Amino acid sequence: MTNYILKRLGQGLLTVFLTVSTVFILIRMAPGDPAVSYAGPLATSDQLAAVREQFGLDKPLLEQYWIFIQQLITGNLGQSYSFQAPAMQVVFERMPYTLTLATSAILLTAVVAIPLGVWMSRRPDTGREFGVNVLTIAGQSMPDFWTGIMLLTGFAVLVPIFPASGFATWGGLVLPTVTIAILQIALISRMVRREMTANFAAPYLTVARSRGVRSSLLTWRYAMGNSAIPVFTALGTRFAAMLNGVVVVEVVFAWPGVGSLIVRALETRDYPLIQATVLITALLAVGVQLLIDLAYPLLDPRVRLGKAATA
Amino acid sequence: MSIDTATPSAGNSGAASPQAKQPSPSAVTKEDIAKAGATRRRKSAQWKLVVGTICTLLVIIPIILANVLPLPDANFQDLAARRLPPLTDGHLFGTDQLGRDLLSRVLHGGQVSLTIGVLAVLVSGAIGVILGSAAGYFGGWVDTIISRILEAQMSLPLLMMLLLVVALFGPSIPVITFVIAIAQWPEVARLTRSMVLVEREKPYVSAARILGLHRLQILIQHIIPNVIKQATLVVLLLLAQAVLLESALSFLGAGPQRPFATWGRIISDGQDYITTSWWMVTLPGLVIVLMVVGVNLLGDGLRDRPRRKKKGA
C-alpha cells in the first residue's frame, strides 16, 4: 500500500515535471518577446535590453532552465512581470475562486446527473426517456461560452436576478455553475445510463430479481454498486479538469479564477506566471487523480491497490 | 419489466438485433410489436438518423455553397448599415457592428471551422488508430509507453495547453488543426487499443499466424479492418467536439482571423452588443448548436441502429 502510494506519487511528480519542462521550452521557442509587452511599444532597445537583463532572459537557454529547476525545488518561480508580485502567490490568490466554482459545479452535476441517468436506464425505449435522451444530446452540443452569454443576458440583464459578473455575492456563483453543469450533466448522465443499462442486463441482476429482491434495492444497491467506480472516476476526472480553470466560463463571467488568469498571462507573455499556473494546476490534477485511485477500494472491496489499478 | 429489454448501448455487444419479426400469432398482436422495446429502439434510432442528417445538412450545405450563394462579402463593411436586425434590407441574419452581413460571416467562418474540424479529426483518427492498435497488438513496452502518454495527457489541463500553444505560435489554421488533433487522439487510441486487445485473441489471428503471416501484416490486413468500423463511429462524435473546441479557442481570441473569423470569434465580437442586438450572438450560436446536435444525433443513431446484416447473411 505504502509502496503503491510512493510509486504513484513518483509517477505523478514525473508527469508534472515533464509538463512544466515542456511548457518552459514551448514558451521560449515561440515568437514574441515578453520584454516588449512589459516595456511597451515605445521602449528603446537599451530599455528592452535592461528589461531582459532584469528578468534573466538574456542568459543562455540552458542556464535559464537550470535556474528554473532551482526555482522549482525552492517553490519560488520568480516575480510575475505584470503583477509585480511572486507568481506563485498570484496563482494562489486566484485558486480559491476556481476551487469554489469547480466544487459547486461538480456537486450540482452529481446531484442531477446520477438520478437522471438512473431514471433513464430504468425505462429504456419509452417516449419520455427518448425525450430526455435528446435533451442530453442538446446539452452536450451547446458551446459553453454561448450558453453562458445566453444565461447572462436572460438572468442578469433582462431579468436581473443574479449579478452579471465577478464573485461579490453568493448569487454570482449561480450562473457560472449552471453554465458548466449543463454540459457536465449531459455527459455524466449519459454515462450513468450506459453503465446502469449494462448492469441491468447482466445475469446476476436477473438472478437477484428472480429471488425477489426489491426493485429499489436492485437499482441502487446492485446495479449502482457496480456502476459506482466508473461514475466516480468520471466525476473525479471532470473535477480535476475544472481545477485547471474553467477557462471559457471564467472569461465569460469575469470570474477572478485561474482560467482568466492564464488568458491574461498568455497575452502579456508573463513567463513566470504561465509557469506557476501550469505547475500548480498540473500538481492539483495529478493529486486529484491519485485521490480517486486511492478511493477505489472504498467503493469496491475487490480492488486491491497496486495489483488491480486498472480495474 | 422494462428493465429486461435493456441491452448495453455502448456498442460493444453485437447481440442487440431485434427479435420483433416472427411473433407467435396467438399471443403477440401487431400492436404489441409496435409497442415493444426493440421496435421503439429501432424507431428512435431512425428518428435520430433522419433528424441528425437534416440538422447537419441544413448547416453544411449552405456553408459549402457560401461562395456561390448571392451573399455580400463577409468582410465588406457598410457603416451606414450597422447592426440591422435580421430580415432587413436583404440581410437574413442582420448585420454586425461594422455593417457586415452576419449570415455571410457565419457561412464563410463556418467553412474555416469545418475545414479545421474535418482535418483535425482525420489527423487524430489516423494517429489514434495507429498508436492504439500498435499498443493493443504488440503489448509490452510499446503498450507501456503509449499508455503512459495517454494517461499523462488525460491528467493535463487540456484547454490551457491548447491555448498556450495557439497563443504562442499564432492562430493559423495548421496550428489550430494540429492542436485539436493532439487533444483528440487519446480517445480514438484508447478505444482502438481495447478493441484490438479483444480481437487479437480470436482464432483467425492464430490461424493467420500459423499460416506464417508477418505480425505487421496480420495487424494491418486482418485486425484493423475488423475494428475500423467502430472507430469511425467515434470519429463522427469527435467531429462534433472538434467544432466546439475550435469555437471555444476562437472565442478566447485564439482562432484564425484570416481569411475569415470563425464562429467563436463572431460570437465574442457580438458579446458587447448583446442587450441591443441580440442576433449577433444568438444566431451564430444557434448555427453551432444545430450543426453539433445534428452530428451528435447522427453518431448516436448510427450506434443504436440495429444491425440488420446479421440476419441477411
Side-chain angles (χ1 to χ4, degrees):
Chain A
M1 181 71 185
T2 325
N3 273 341
Y4 173 77
I5 296 179
L6 283 178
K7 194 179 147 203
R8 286 296 313 268
L9 266 178
Q11 283 176 352
L13 287 179
L14 187 67
T15 310
V16 172
F17 178 71
L18 290 178
T19 310
V20 289
S21 297
T22 314
V23 170
F24 178 90
I25 296 164
L26 272 179
I27 49 183
R28 278 164 181 82
M29 259 168 59
D33 189 345
V36 176
S37 57
Y38 179 77
L42 297 174
T44 62
S45 54
D46 284 348
Q47 282 171 320
L48 285 182
V51 170
R52 279 193 204 107
E53 200 189 331
Q54 185 195 337
F55 294 151
L57 293 169
D58 53 342
K59 298 195 178 83
L61 195 62
L62 269 180
E63 197 185 332
Q64 287 187 40
Y65 187 57
W66 175 238
I67 295 173
F68 174 64
I69 290 176
Q70 287 172 330
Q71 288 177 331
L72 271 185
I73 294 168
T74 55
N76 169 22
L77 289 188
Q79 294 269 321
S80 154
Y81 303 159
S82 50
F83 284 87
Q84 299 292 326
M88 295 294 268
Q89 191 193 321
V90 176
V91 181
F92 277 128
E93 275 165 14
R94 300 293 196 100
M95 209 59 222
Y97 293 99
T98 295
L99 213 59
T100 315
L101 184 55
T103 312
S104 69
I106 206 72
L107 284 180
L108 181 62
T109 305
V111 166
V112 179
I114 294 177
L116 190 67
V118 170
W119 184 88
M120 285 197 286
S121 69
R122 285 188 65 171
R123 34 186 88 51
D125 308 312
T126 61
R128 281 176 300 168
E129 188 264 348
F130 181 67
V132 176
N133 192 353
V134 171
L135 275 185
T136 58
I137 292 185
Q140 68 180 23
S141 305
M142 292 193 286
D144 43 7
F145 56 90
W146 185 72
T147 332
I149 302 176
M150 289 291 120
L151 286 175
L152 197 67
T153 317
F155 297 104
V157 180
L158 297 180
V159 189
I161 308 174
F162 300 110
S165 64
F167 186 32
T169 59
W170 286 101
L173 192 61
V174 174
L175 291 180
T177 304
V178 172
T179 308
I180 303 172
I182 286 177
L183 173 68
Q184 305 297 339
I185 289 172
L187 293 171
I188 300 279
S189 67
R190 288 171 71 79
M191 165 181 189
V192 172
R193 185 189 71 138
R194 212 163 46 229
E195 290 294 330
M196 292 292 281
T197 314
N199 275 312
F200 276 139
Y204 77 88
L205 211 98
T206 315
V207 173
R209 196 192 328 257
S210 68
R211 282 209 327 264
V213 178
R214 258 184 301 131
S215 171
S216 60
L217 213 59
L218 279 180
T219 307
W220 293 105
R221 183 80 191 264
Y222 285 62
M224 199 52 186
N226 280 298
S227 310
I229 281 207
V231 171
F232 178 73
T233 309
L235 282 172
T237 317
R238 305 251 148 219
F239 181 67
M242 284 181 209
L243 289 183
N244 301 319
V246 221
V247 181
V248 172
V249 176
E250 286 190 4
V251 169
V252 171
F253 289 96
W255 191 260
V258 178
S260 45
L261 183 69
I262 187 90
V263 174
R264 183 169 163 190
L266 284 170
E267 276 165 4
T268 51
R269 313 245 155 204
D270 194 336
Y271 289 175
L273 194 54
I274 296 174
Q275 275 154 357
T277 320
V278 172
L279 175 69
I280 292 177
T281 53
L283 274 176
L284 268 174
V286 169
V288 170
Q289 201 69 46
L290 182 62
L291 282 182
I292 296 171
D293 286 355
L294 289 180
Y296 279 167
L298 299 179
L299 289 171
D300 188 345
R302 288 172 304 182
V303 177
R304 295 277 171 274
L305 287 179
K307 282 179 188 160
T310 51
Chain B
M1 63 149 249
S2 56
I3 288 162
D4 293 301
T5 60
T7 41
S9 58
N12 47 14
S13 96
S17 69
Q19 58 281 73
K21 242 193 165 176
Q22 318 86 332
S24 99
S26 57
V28 183
T29 63
K30 271 192 176 167
E31 288 86 71
D32 287 336
I33 299 174
K35 271 190 229 154
T39 317
R40 287 179 180 220
R41 192 150 56 235
R42 199 179 63 227
K43 273 191 185 156
S44 70
Q46 273 170 355
W47 186 91
K48 280 181 187 168
L49 280 178
V50 172
V51 176
T53 315
I54 293 175
C55 291
T56 316
L57 290 182
L58 218 56
V59 179
I60 287 186
I61 289 181
I63 286 179
I64 293 174
L65 296 179
N67 295 333
V68 191
L69 293 172
L71 287 168
D73 189 320
N75 291 330
F76 173 73
Q77 301 180 2
D78 180 1
L79 294 180
R82 271 175 302 167
R83 298 199 270 137
L84 292 177
L87 298 173
T88 44
D89 290 347
H91 297 293
L92 202 58
F93 274 23
T95 57
D96 70 359
Q97 73 278 13
L98 295 172
R100 291 172 292 192
D101 183 67
L102 193 60
L103 180 61
S104 178
R105 288 195 81 194
V106 168
L107 292 185
H108 284 100
Q111 286 184 337
V112 183
S113 292
L114 264 189
T115 313
I116 292 177
V118 171
L119 284 179
V121 164
L122 286 180
V123 175
S124 65
I127 302 178
V129 168
I130 292 172
L131 292 186
S133 55
Y137 186 64
F138 295 116
W141 60 270
V142 181
D143 188 24
T144 311
I145 292 179
I146 294 175
S147 298
R148 275 281 165 291
I149 300 178
L150 278 178
E151 269 173 34
Q153 197 177 327
M154 307 297 266
S155 65
L156 283 184
L158 182 67
L159 189 59
M160 195 190 278
M161 298 299 269
L162 303 190
L163 211 58
L164 188 95
V165 175
V166 177
L168 295 172
F169 290 91
S172 67
I173 293 176
V175 169
I176 295 170
T177 308
F178 173 76
V179 150
I180 295 178
I182 291 297
Q184 292 195 320
W185 76 272
E187 206 152 330
V188 190
R190 278 203 312 178
L191 181 78
T192 318
R193 176 176 172 273
S194 63
M195 286 192 300
V196 169
L197 275 179
V198 175
E199 208 69 22
R200 73 166 182 188
E201 302 302 331
K202 289 192 176 166
Y204 75 90
V205 176
S206 330
R209 199 174 294 150
I210 292 167
L211 283 173
L213 265 69
H214 192 263
R215 294 216 300 171
L216 212 57
Q217 203 179 356
I218 299 177
L219 178 62
I220 295 169
Q221 284 188 348
H222 295 275
I223 295 184
I224 290 186
N226 275 317
V227 299
I228 198 83
K229 221 178 187 176
Q230 284 192 42
T232 41
L233 267 186
V234 178
V235 162
L236 201 57
L237 297 177
L238 284 187
L239 177 65
Q241 274 181 30
V243 169
L244 285 182
L245 208 53
E246 192 277 329
S247 70
L249 281 175
S250 146
F251 175 79
L252 292 171
Q257 303 288 330
R258 279 178 297 267
F260 301 107
T262 52
W263 290 337
R265 179 64 192 221
I266 298 175
I267 290 177
S268 96
D269 280 351
Q271 203 184 350
D272 301 336
Y273 305 93
I274 180 80
T275 43
T276 49
S277 319
W278 56 271
W279 57 92
M280 282 162 56
V281 169
T282 315
L283 293 181
L286 282 177
V287 171
I288 304 181
V289 175
L290 193 64
M291 148 124 197
V292 178
V293 164
V295 173
N296 274 330
L297 278 177
L298 257 181
D300 240 39
L302 281 175
R303 200 188 55 199
D304 295 349
R305 187 181 52 165
R307 282 162 219 148
R308 267 172 233 166
K309 269 186 193 160
K310 276 203 171 144
K311 271 190 177 170

